[in-house]
Amino acid sequence: MALGRQAIRDAGAKQAVKAQPRALVVPKATVVAPQPSSASAYVPRAQGPIILNGQVLHSITEERLDVVRSLEDGYLQEQVVPLLKPVDKCWQPADFLPQSQEPDFLDKVHELRQRAKNLPDDYLVVFVGDMITEEALPTYMTMLNTLDGVRDETGASQTPWAKWTREWTAEENRHGDVMNKYMYLTGRVNCKSIDVTIQNLIGSGMDPKTENNPYLGFCYTSFQERATKVSHGNTARHALEYGDETLAKICGMIASDEGRHEIAYQRIMDALFARDVNGAMLGFADMMRKQIVMPAHLMDDNEHSKKGRNLFQDFASVAERTGTYTAMDYADIVEYLVGRWNVPELTGLNGEAAAAQEYVIKLPNRIRKLAEKAQARKGKAKVHNQAFSWVFDREVLL
């Protein structure tokens, strides 16, 4: 997955949207009785609402939980699951890497290292940051399994929701594998520092503020998968510019996977908008007000903070400067989703959802204006270089 929240924070968007009221209605405190489902067992939720770490847990109402369950009856199998590829049709990391059993293995590693010599340090920092994000995959599977009504209750459940989550995870698992192995072979990066960062990130987890609510969760994944596609697409383009065609192919294949996955999650939201336009509109606006917290925002290499620096923020700054993922990309994704879900033309909205509609429609231009102002301020600021342990403490322009 990609970065971007820091770029928006730098643009001042958080201040602009902070004053907006919360969109989601917290359910009244009731004891929820178990509800049978033809596709999956439902575990009753505790008496609510529950506030933990500043957010409401299990904020979805019973009526909207029924809407989510209804997608199991055909829609998920017909519109979402087919976007996964059979394993024998998927690329694998070994397709792009020198094979250690082959007699010319060392020659191919030498060729790989020669190509990688042309990759500048700022590219390596962005690539490694994206790679570390991909390597924290256990956290993302865990996040999906916090969502009410769709979680894998047994670890091997045969419900369409559970199978989707596991098979999506299996496809995503290849991304970190190939990126990590390729970087290891280049000799250009500090693998131990990267390993420490990955372990810290998985141990820290993430909190996307989705409240165990699939309406919020699938808004988040709809955005995040597209953001990741953009970032990997740009690292592919940059790798080609620096003469590493194999690395460009790797990044391009990853971007292609993310493109399929974004369509899957957006189709889930398509159905929620069709079946519960008010709930979907409120969920979309709520996630936009909170901003999309990036999966790797808690990354830590045990070194950067000793210098009084935030590793994720500095990584995001390099990504912004190199054009890999920017505040403008964030605005473009919001605008894309507004169009994808036909938000300007939605009708039949209640008062609260209509206000959410108006807010979301105006948001992309608001973000762009704030980003332009932030960029102008940055252009006048003093140039700053920062050392990154990932590239053996070499300094990179932020």
Side-chain angles (χ1 to χ4, degrees):
M1 300 192 176
L3 45 136
R5 187 184 187 211
Q6 180 58 34
I8 301 303
R9 178 184 291 169
D10 290 343
K14 185 172 184 179
Q15 182 177 1
V17 301
K18 186 175 181 181
Q20 297 292 335
R22 285 292 305 276
L24 292 184
V25 177
V26 178
K28 294 180 180 179
T30 56
V31 178
V32 179
Q35 298 293 322
S37 170
S38 58
S40 64
Y42 171 64
V43 177
R45 293 176 288 133
Q47 186 171 347
I50 302 170
I51 309 297
L52 183 64
N53 294 336
Q55 68 170 310
V56 179
L57 303 186
H58 307 290
S59 65
I60 192 169
T61 63
E62 281 301 307
E63 293 79 10
R64 285 178 177 149
L65 201 51
D66 285 338
V67 173
V68 173
R69 293 194 198 104
S70 73
L71 302 188
E72 285 188 332
D73 298 330
Y75 185 84
L76 209 64
Q77 291 284 26
E78 295 169 5
Q79 298 296 324
V80 178
V81 173
L83 288 165
L84 294 165
K85 284 187 176 182
V87 174
D88 60 357
K89 301 295 183 183
C90 287
W91 61 267
Q92 297 297 336
D95 297 332
F96 297 99
L97 299 167
Q99 296 302 295
S100 58
Q101 77 277 13
E102 298 293 338
D104 61 349
F105 170 69
L106 293 179
D107 292 334
K108 289 183 176 179
V109 170
H110 178 73
E111 293 172 4
L112 184 155
R113 289 187 170 218
Q114 289 299 113
R115 293 194 306 269
K117 281 184 178 180
N118 295 323
L119 300 173
D121 285 339
D122 56 4
Y123 179 89
L124 293 174
V125 165
V126 174
F127 183 93
V128 168
D130 281 355
M131 179 185 80
I132 289 167
T133 304
E134 295 285 351
E135 289 279 48
L137 184 61
T139 296
Y140 316 141
M141 186 178 188
T142 299
M143 189 277 285
L144 288 174
N145 279 325
T146 68
L147 301 179
D148 292 329
V150 304
R151 65 173 59 90
D152 185 346
E153 298 287 1
T154 69
S157 171
Q158 294 305 298
T159 66
W161 287 115
K163 291 177 69 175
W164 160 263
T165 296
R166 292 197 304 272
E167 292 179 30
W168 168 84
T169 303
E171 285 196 354
E172 289 276 336
N173 187 63
R174 299 167 303 144
H175 300 170
D177 281 354
V178 70
M179 295 172 79
N180 203 324
K181 290 173 182 175
Y182 197 91
M183 278 295 108
Y184 173 79
L185 291 174
T186 67
R188 295 290 312 281
V189 298
N190 185 338
C191 291
K192 183 169 183 179
S193 173
I194 291 168
D195 291 341
V196 167
T197 311
I198 293 169
Q199 184 173 350
N200 279 333
L201 181 56
I202 295 173
S204 297
M206 63 178 289
D207 182 5
K209 309 299 182 184
T210 50
E211 303 179 0
N212 311 100
N213 186 329
Y215 280 65
L216 304 185
F218 293 129
C219 279
Y220 177 86
T221 52
S222 293
F223 186 105
Q224 191 55 251
E225 293 284 13
R226 189 170 182 85
T228 307
K229 181 183 74 172
V230 169
S231 184
H232 286 299
N234 283 326
T235 56
R237 177 171 57 84
H238 295 156
L240 194 60
E241 292 171 355
Y242 297 129
D244 195 332
E245 294 185 9
T246 301
L247 188 57
K249 289 179 182 178
I250 289 171
C251 297
M253 293 301 292
I254 293 172
S256 179
D257 281 353
E258 306 294 7
R260 285 187 294 108
H261 297 162
E262 73 155 306
I263 293 170
Y265 288 118
Q266 289 162 16
R267 284 184 181 177
I268 293 171
M269 288 304 302
D270 290 345
L272 294 180
F273 270 101
R275 301 181 188 206
D276 178 15
V277 66
N278 287 307
M281 188 65 252
L282 291 172
F284 185 22
D286 187 63
M287 289 309 299
M288 293 302 98
R289 288 190 177 104
K290 292 171 178 173
Q291 302 177 35
I292 300 297
V293 59
M294 294 300 136
H297 71 283
L298 297 178
M299 63 167 54
D300 178 18
D301 63 353
N302 288 351
E303 297 294 333
H304 219 72
S305 59
K306 294 178 182 177
K307 307 166 190 174
R309 307 291 303 181
N310 181 291
L311 179 58
F312 177 80
Q313 291 177 12
D314 285 347
F315 155 54
S317 293
V318 179
E320 175 89 23
R321 182 181 59 77
T322 58
T324 308
Y325 188 77
T326 70
M328 292 301 182
D329 291 321
Y330 190 106
D332 289 346
I333 295 170
V334 177
E335 187 170 66
Y336 169 81
L337 293 176
V338 167
R340 165 70 193 233
W341 296 324
N342 203 28
V343 171
E345 283 73 45
L346 293 178
T347 59
L349 297 172
N350 61 29
E352 192 176 12
Q357 177 189 40
E358 182 180 2
Y359 163 73
V360 169
I361 290 171
K362 294 178 180 178
L363 186 57
N365 286 337
R366 180 183 299 174
I367 293 171
R368 290 189 182 103
K369 289 178 182 178
L370 291 166
E372 288 170 358
K373 292 179 181 178
Q375 191 62 35
R377 289 194 300 270
K378 188 173 182 180
K380 298 177 182 178
K382 183 179 179 181
V383 173
H384 182 74
N385 292 302
Q386 183 59 48
F388 283 82
S389 67
W390 302 338
V391 289
F392 301 101
D393 290 319
R394 294 191 293 269
E395 289 193 348
V396 174
L397 179 64
L398 299 183

